[in-house]
């Protein structure tokens, strides 16, 4: 089979905030950069981020990056690497200014500076009064940022491959990554892209769960590609359930609603967060609020005819604030919940939202394979940034406003490191036919026709299993059963057949490839979760209710080969400041 | 509920046809949910969709003659039988999937990015809340294409007329107090086609799922041009 080929200095897979911010650095440095995206870039899921991006600009209250760092370390339940967190919180400030210079239409304060709102888990002075650190463009910050980055990439003449699907990484015998096999969705033709460096920026995989705030496209493609290339995934048991999804549907209602003064009530009209987090109340960390909501419902204090959700009260903020600061959620509430939040409270329940774990990288975006002794081996030619990566800055629980920050800071850092790296590695390495054939096999597998299970059927079954066995509260029994079920589904995958063998814009073929990816990362989640015998951040176990810093202050590392788990120590030493030692986490 | 859906797969079909589907309506069902249900019944049916909440702009389609977003349209609001077709005026790739390249080219043609020529400050470029308010109703565009593909002027001259979406974005940058390229932006819009093929038919306003008003933006551009020429 003769494959069409293209050659670039850098290949970026994924056109969300991380991919586009990296691409912008590279294109501005006059390098040949190809951005491959399975959807038109502005359809990437960054577009759905609402609340904002954290940076200690101190536009509203006194603030500094060190306080931001403390909040992030505490929010991570001390599992985040403190060197990476320091780097991110310092870089936050110039990163946000750069975005503004690029044209992001941030909301403004009366003095003309960027508007900043309060968000969960934020404090001044290391755990003191509530901070206001989240820079916002109304409640459409992700949209504003993604469109701006795409626009600047148009200016910089980045080369886009829109609606191309990343199929498989190509590597040589030394484990170096040489580019990727892609599939042009419109024609159904494969295209081999050779690149001196490859950046995975494919986002998260919330589609592993049935009820999720994540888009249809969030299928963990990059993470699964990394797994199949021998790269492990780190901390996959830590999956964030956002407290306020629209009940029964999963669409997100931003934490910014609570930041602006909204609060949660149960069926008795009680503001129940006062019992769970006396100081921060509704602005406690997301894991804390999600557990509180699930507990309220379990103990019979839920609202509605089935007592299966709680209510988010907003109307007391008044028409003006709602129209000005929360126009998007008002629209969503009307459409999907049938309520106008200016009049009635919004029915909410936790929804699968964000993967703290992912492809292990250093703080320059270079993919590393961690060893138990704390050393790291760089995978030559491979980078990762954004939700698909795990630096790790979020540890066991991410703070609201830190995900846009993560993708922007580390997308930019990866772009800059790639520029440096290309100076030392100016040549393409040769690709062997065997390596290419192996990647192509992933496509030809789906050319088998005949009777079999449908992609839909297995996908529906899998997402239900994940929801039932890897949700907010996890016991040994539930998870062990989950592991067996996911293993069985992985076997069943072999019997799935594609009925539609046509070439042009075959979305069934794409969904088949996505299903393989989902199951690969689903396995990483359930296995990592089963083994972690403690409660930390988003990983909450009724059978091991306490955090166990003696045995479990370490990152989980999952390898696909042999479904093997390994562990590596947390980096507790920051770059320039003192370590924040683990403390009980109270809000 | 009965749906008639436009089907055309160039690999197997010689001509397009409308295919009938029955979908059981559930509470709160959106058109996108119904289309996903149709795909459950028929794997070979192709349409674009992603976020499911009206912000990614993937699933614009033509339903009973009007352009709209599948994910924010409750099926309960649709008249039976529901006729679902691809966006009008664009070449069909397959089923509801159309080729939007000309639409994207027109967007690129208006230089849809901030041009700030002065040296940059160490912090943010200041902007008053009043100046920022001028961007409301402009920056929220999700590029779904409902407006431009509903515009007769864009149907006739998709290669020469920028269309409502691109012109809304042209005004988004002209209206931004931080942008310093007013003259060149206005100069680039001169001529009989790019801007002036708008005949204020206002299909764009009618069809925008985000309630934006491209016709008004086009009027503002013309007004500014006039002021600059005297």
């Amino acid at each position: 089979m003769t494959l069409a080929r293209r050659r670039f200095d850098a290949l970026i897979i994924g056109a969300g905030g991380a991919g586009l911010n990296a691409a912008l650095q590279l294109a501005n440095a006059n390098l040949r950069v190809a951005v491959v995206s399975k959807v038109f870039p502005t359809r990437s899921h960054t577009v759905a981020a609402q609340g904002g991006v954290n940076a200690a600009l101190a536009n509203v209250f006194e603030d500094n990056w060190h306080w931001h760092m403390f909040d992030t370390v505490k929010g991570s339940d001390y599992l985040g690497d403190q060197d990476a967190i320091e780097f991110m919180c310092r870089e936050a400030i110039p990163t946000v200014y750069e975005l503004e210079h690029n044209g992001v239409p941030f909301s403004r304060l009366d003095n003309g500076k960027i508007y900043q709102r309060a968000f969960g888990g934020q404090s001044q002075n290391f755990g003191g009064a509530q901070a206001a650190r989240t820079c916002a463009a109304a409640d459409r910050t992700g949209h504003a940022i993604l469109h701006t980055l795409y626009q600047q990439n148009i200016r910089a003449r980045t080369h886009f491959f829109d609606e191309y699907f990343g199929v498989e990484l190509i590597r040589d015998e030394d484990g170096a990554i040489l580019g990727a096999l892609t599939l042009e969705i419109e024609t159904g033709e494969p295209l081999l892209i050779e690149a001196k460096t490859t950046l995975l920026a494919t986002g998260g995989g919330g589609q592993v769960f049935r009820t999720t705030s994540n888009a249809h496209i969030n299928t963990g493609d990059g993470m699964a590609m990394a797994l199949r290339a021998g790269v492990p995934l780190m901390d996959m048991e830590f999956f964030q359930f956002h407290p306020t999804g629209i009940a029964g549907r999963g669409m997100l209602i931003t934490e910014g609603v609570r930041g602006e003064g909204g609060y949660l009530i149960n069926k008795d009209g009680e503001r129940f967060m006062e019992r769970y987090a006396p100081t921060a109340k509704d602005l406690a960390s997301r894991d804390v609020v999600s557990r509180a909501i699930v507990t309220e419902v379990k103990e019979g204090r839920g609202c509605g005819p089935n007592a299966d959700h709680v209510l988010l009260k907003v109307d007391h903020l008044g028409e003006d604030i709602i129209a000005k600061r929360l126009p998007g959620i008002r629209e969503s509430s009307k459409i999907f919940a049938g309520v106008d939040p200016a009049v009635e409270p919004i029915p909410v329940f936790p929804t699968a939202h964000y993967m703290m774990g992912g492809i292990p990288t250093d703080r320059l975006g270079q993919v590393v394979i961690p060893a138990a002794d704390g050393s790291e081996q760089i995978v030559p030619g491979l980078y990762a940034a954004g939700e698909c990566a795990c630096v790790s800055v979020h540890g066991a629980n991410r703070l609201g406003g830190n995900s846009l920050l993560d993708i922007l800071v580390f997308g930019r850092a990866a772009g800059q490191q790639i520029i440096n790296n290309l100076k030392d590695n100016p040549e393409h390495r040769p690709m062997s036919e065997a390596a290419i054939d192996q990647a192509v096999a992933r496509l030809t597998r789906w050319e088998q026709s005949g009777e079999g299970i449908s992609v839909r059927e297995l996908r529906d079954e899998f997402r239900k299993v994940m929801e039932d066995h890897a949700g907010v509260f996890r016991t040994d029994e539930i998870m062990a059963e989950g592991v067996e079920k996911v293993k069985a589904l992985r076997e069943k995958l072999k019997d799935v057949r594609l009925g539609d063998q046509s070439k042009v814009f075959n979305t069934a073929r794409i969904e088949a490839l996505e299903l393989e990816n989902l199951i690969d990362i689903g396995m990483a989640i359930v296995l990592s979760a089963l083994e972690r015998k403690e409660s930390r951040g988003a990983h909450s176990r009724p059978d091991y209710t306490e955090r166990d810093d003696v045995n479990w202050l370490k990152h989980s590392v999952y390898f696909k080969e042999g479904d093997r788990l390994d562990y590596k120590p947390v980096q507790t030493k920051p770059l320039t400041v003192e370590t924040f030692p683990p403390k009980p986490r109270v809000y | 509920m009965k749906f008639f859906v436009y089907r055309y797969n160039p690999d197997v079909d010689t001509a397009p046809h409308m295919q009938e589907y029955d979908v059981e309506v559930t509470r709160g069902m959106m058109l996108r949910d119904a289309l996903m249900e149709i795909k459950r019944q028929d794997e070979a049916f192709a349409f674009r969709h992603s976020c499911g909440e009206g912000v990614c702009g993937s699933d614009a389609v033509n339903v009973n003659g009007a352009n709209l977003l599948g994910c924010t349209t409750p099926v309960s609001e649709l008249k039976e039988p529901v006729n679902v077709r691809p966006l009008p005026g664009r070449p069909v790739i397959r089923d509801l999937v159309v080729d939007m390249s000309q639409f994207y080219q027109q967007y690129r043609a208006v230089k849809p990015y901030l041009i700030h020529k002065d040296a940059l400050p160490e912090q943010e470029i200041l902007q008053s809340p009043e100046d920022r308010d001028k961007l409301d109703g402009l920056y929220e565009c999700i590029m779904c294409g409902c407006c431009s593909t509903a515009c007769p002027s864009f149907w006739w001259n998709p290669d020469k007329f920028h269309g409502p979406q691109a012109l809304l974005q042209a005004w988004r940058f002209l209206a931004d107090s931080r942008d310093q390229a007013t003259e060149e932006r206005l100069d680039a819009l001169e001529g009989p086609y790019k801007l002036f093929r708008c005949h204020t038919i206002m299909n764009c306003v009618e069809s925008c799922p985000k309630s934006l008003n491209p016709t008004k933006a086009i009027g503002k551009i013309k007004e500014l041009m006039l002021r600059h020429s005297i």
Side-chain angles (χ1 to χ4, degrees):
Chain A
M1 181 181 194
T2 49
L3 274 174
R5 291 183 186 222
R6 299 288 298 269
R7 283 188 150 201
F8 290 89
D9 293 320
L11 164 64
I12 297 175
I13 306 179
L20 291 187
N21 212 17
L24 190 55
Q25 314 299 319
L26 292 160
N28 280 340
N30 290 318
L31 291 165
R32 278 176 57 74
V33 51
V35 176
V36 166
S37 171
K38 64 179 176 177
V39 291
F40 181 76
T42 63
R43 323 269 182 236
S44 308
H45 200 50
T46 298
V47 80
Q50 299 172 355
V53 48
N54 292 339
L57 305 183
N59 285 357
V60 176
F61 300 130
E62 193 187 341
D63 205 357
N64 66 59
W65 65 261
H66 200 190
W67 299 350
H68 182 188
M69 179 184 169
F70 168 80
D71 291 340
T72 304
V73 172
K74 178 182 171 189
S76 81
D77 222 347
Y78 297 89
L79 193 74
D81 288 336
Q82 297 195 17
D83 55 343
I85 294 175
E86 178 180 340
F87 176 80
M88 178 177 79
C89 296
R90 282 171 173 271
E91 283 293 302
I93 297 163
T95 299
V96 168
Y97 288 142
E98 185 179 274
L99 281 174
E100 194 281 331
H101 296 165
N102 279 333
V104 174
F106 283 111
S107 300
R108 299 290 171 153
L109 297 162
D110 283 341
N111 62 9
K113 288 174 174 263
I114 294 170
Y115 171 74
Q116 296 190 281
R117 62 162 54 110
F119 241 58
Q122 295 181 353
S123 72
Q124 300 181 66
N125 206 9
F126 312 108
Q130 175 72 41
R133 191 176 291 139
T134 306
C135 309
D139 56 0
R140 302 186 178 101
T141 316
H143 171 283
I145 289 174
L146 184 67
H147 279 252
T148 299
L149 287 174
Y150 180 60
Q151 291 161 351
Q152 288 297 332
N153 272 287
I154 291 176
R155 182 193 52 72
R157 295 194 296 256
T158 300
H159 201 117
F160 284 100
F161 289 86
D162 297 337
E163 299 191 322
Y164 280 68
F165 185 84
V167 177
E168 206 72 322
L169 296 170
I170 310 283
R171 59 175 176 159
D172 68 10
E173 279 156 13
D174 305 332
I177 302 299
L178 314 172
L181 179 71
T182 69
L183 180 74
E184 183 180 17
I185 298 173
E186 182 176 336
T187 60
E189 295 295 337
L191 171 69
L192 187 64
I193 298 185
E194 296 182 61
K196 297 167 195 166
T197 56
T198 301
L199 169 68
L200 294 171
T202 50
Q207 285 290 321
V208 291
F209 291 103
R210 194 172 57 155
T211 306
T212 174
S213 66
N214 280 205
H216 188 71
I217 57 172
N218 295 136
T219 50
D221 304 337
M223 288 185 244
M225 268 189 266
L227 275 181
R228 290 189 298 263
V231 174
L233 296 181
M234 194 162 89
D235 292 341
M236 290 299 282
E237 63 271 43
F238 297 104
F239 201 104
Q240 179 167 80
F241 291 81
H242 192 291
T244 57
I246 292 179
R249 309 224 35 148
M251 286 88 179
L252 194 68
I253 298 295
T254 174
E255 187 166 308
V257 170
R258 283 169 286 138
E260 296 289 345
Y263 57 84
L264 295 161
I265 51 175
N266 60 21
K267 74 165 187 194
D268 305 320
E270 183 205 4
R271 188 172 178 184
F272 60 85
M273 279 313 298
E274 289 175 342
R275 271 189 279 121
Y276 296 87
T279 314
K281 300 187 182 84
D282 297 84
L283 286 179
S285 244
R286 287 180 177 173
D287 55 331
V288 176
V289 183
S290 285
R291 275 194 295 274
I293 294 173
V294 174
T295 305
E296 288 299 296
V297 167
K298 269 193 171 164
E299 293 179 357
R301 291 186 295 278
C303 307
N306 302 320
D308 57 359
H309 60 264
V310 297
L311 295 171
L312 177 57
K313 188 172 150 56
V314 193
D315 59 301
H316 59 284
L317 298 180
E319 180 85 29
D320 271 6
I321 292 278
I322 293 170
K324 186 127 197 106
R325 303 287 184 216
L326 305 166
I329 73 105
R330 185 178 200 181
E331 192 184 323
S332 289
S333 304
K334 282 184 181 170
I335 295 171
F336 297 110
V339 303
D340 179 354
V343 183
E344 283 177 88
I346 312 166
V348 293
F349 194 72
T351 181
H353 186 55
Y354 184 86
M355 292 178 136
M356 269 72 76
I359 305 160
T361 72
D362 62 16
R363 65 176 182 277
L364 305 172
Q366 305 182 103
V367 173
V368 292
I369 298 183
D373 63 2
S375 68
E376 293 179 332
Q377 181 202 339
I378 288 177
V379 179
L382 188 62
Y383 294 72
E387 191 172 338
C388 74
C390 182
V391 188
S392 124
V393 286
H394 309 303
N397 172 65
R398 175 176 69 75
L399 291 188
N402 267 358
S403 74
L404 282 178
L405 180 61
D406 169 9
I407 67 178
L408 296 163
V409 164
F410 293 104
R412 187 168 179 261
Q416 284 167 354
Q417 179 59 21
I418 289 171
I419 295 169
N420 291 335
N421 188 281
L422 285 170
K423 286 178 194 149
D424 303 330
N425 298 285
E427 303 298 332
H428 287 268
R429 296 190 190 205
M431 255 184 206
S432 77
E433 285 306 313
I436 298 168
D437 290 347
Q438 205 182 340
V440 171
R442 194 168 171 237
L443 289 177
T444 45
R445 175 260 177 265
W446 289 104
E447 287 167 11
Q448 304 171 47
S449 51
E451 287 297 297
I453 310 162
S454 76
V455 172
R456 273 287 159 190
E457 208 181 315
L458 197 69
R459 183 171 166 136
D460 289 350
E461 197 181 336
F462 167 72
R463 296 176 70 196
K464 176 77 168 60
V465 164
M466 289 300 291
E467 187 159 289
D468 291 346
H469 297 276
V472 175
F473 287 110
R474 302 164 165 182
T475 62
D476 204 68
E477 197 188 346
I478 288 174
M479 286 188 298
E481 203 185 326
V483 168
E484 290 316 308
K485 284 186 175 172
V486 176
K487 280 188 175 161
L489 290 172
R490 190 166 66 180
E491 282 305 306
K492 235 170 149 181
L493 191 55
K494 299 189 178 98
D495 302 325
V496 178
R497 292 288 178 276
L498 202 53
D500 177 14
Q501 291 288 335
S502 60
K503 290 190 92 112
V504 173
F505 222 99
N506 185 339
T507 52
R509 176 180 289 130
I510 299 301
E511 290 185 5
L513 294 164
E514 288 172 340
L515 177 63
E516 292 176 325
N517 293 340
L518 285 170
I519 291 182
D520 274 346
I521 61 171
M523 185 60 91
I525 293 171
V526 291
L527 271 177
S528 308
L530 176 64
E531 286 309 312
R532 184 173 285 271
K533 295 183 171 44
E534 64 159 351
S535 287
R536 182 186 298 272
H539 181 64
S540 184
R541 299 195 51 161
D543 44 0
Y544 298 92
T545 53
E546 297 302 312
R547 193 177 78 197
D548 176 359
D549 290 326
V550 178
N551 296 304
W552 287 102
L553 189 59
K554 58 187 180 186
H555 299 291
S556 313
V557 182
Y558 164 82
F559 293 83
K560 181 175 158 74
E561 200 184 346
D563 288 327
R564 184 165 63 87
L565 275 171
D566 207 341
Y567 293 91
K568 89 161 217 197
V570 171
Q571 176 54 270
T572 51
K573 198 174 155 26
L575 298 171
T576 66
V577 292
E578 295 281 305
T579 296
F580 291 112
K583 277 193 200 159
R585 198 156 145 263
V586 187
Y587 283 101
Chain B
M1 197 168 190
K2 267 204 188 342
F3 287 82
F4 288 93
V5 181
Y6 180 99
R7 298 298 309 274
Y8 174 64
N9 178 352
D11 285 346
V12 292
D13 299 329
T14 47
H17 62 281
M18 297 300 283
Q19 194 166 331
E20 187 182 332
Y21 295 95
D22 254 315
V23 175
E24 196 182 324
V25 174
T26 52
R27 199 172 65 91
M29 186 182 241
M30 298 289 157
L31 175 63
R32 169 181 178 257
D33 303 323
L35 294 177
M36 286 166 83
E37 187 47 45
I38 290 171
K39 189 160 175 68
R40 271 201 174 78
Q41 298 175 18
D42 184 349
E43 183 181 82
F45 166 55
F47 72 111
R48 292 185 177 110
H49 68 105
S50 181
C51 75
E53 52 186 61
V55 50
C56 77
S58 301
D59 64 346
V61 287
N62 183 278
V63 180
N64 295 341
N67 291 353
L68 46 76
L69 283 187
C71 61
T72 55
T73 303
V75 291
S76 58
E77 286 176 10
L78 299 172
K79 227 172 87 185
E80 247 183 300
V82 184
N83 280 287
V84 188
R85 293 170 174 277
L87 289 177
R90 301 286 83 219
V92 172
I93 296 171
R94 173 175 178 168
D95 299 338
L96 301 182
V97 178
V98 292
D99 180 351
M100 295 293 281
S101 13
Q102 261 179 334
F103 170 82
Y104 296 135
Q105 274 159 21
Q106 293 297 355
Y107 174 69
R108 283 171 170 255
V110 301
K111 297 197 173 167
Y113 40 82
L114 190 78
I115 301 175
H116 184 85
K117 295 175 180 172
D118 292 348
L120 289 165
E122 292 96 321
Q123 300 183 331
E124 64 267 66
I125 305 167
L126 297 179
Q127 185 172 49
S128 71
E130 295 72 34
D131 278 340
R132 170 60 185 75
D133 284 350
K134 291 175 187 158
L135 307 182
D136 284 341
L138 306 174
Y139 83 95
E140 302 94 321
C141 172
I142 57 173
M143 300 180 72
C144 62
C146 280
C147 61
S148 292
T149 64
C151 171
S153 297
F154 191 74
W155 295 340
W156 309 143
N157 296 108
D159 52 337
K160 295 185 204 143
F161 174 51
H162 284 328
Q165 192 278 334
L167 290 168
L168 183 83
Q169 292 315 296
W171 178 245
R172 178 250 174 274
F173 289 99
L174 282 164
D176 195 320
S177 62
R178 301 169 296 172
D179 192 82
Q180 299 175 322
T182 304
E183 291 300 329
E184 50 212 83
R185 290 186 190 280
L186 290 179
D187 286 352
L189 292 170
E190 291 282 0
Y193 283 101
K194 293 174 189 162
L195 169 72
F196 287 95
R197 278 288 130 159
C198 169
H199 300 306
T200 57
I201 299 163
M202 293 182 73
N203 281 2
C204 53
V205 184
E206 190 78 19
S207 64
C208 178
K210 307 307 281 183
S211 309
L212 310 180
N213 191 331
T215 305
K216 191 170 154 199
I218 291 168
K220 295 262 192 191
I221 299 175
K222 288 178 177 168
E223 209 177 282
L224 186 66
M225 256 184 184
L226 197 64
R227 261 189 282 138
H228 270 252
S229 63
I230 36 178

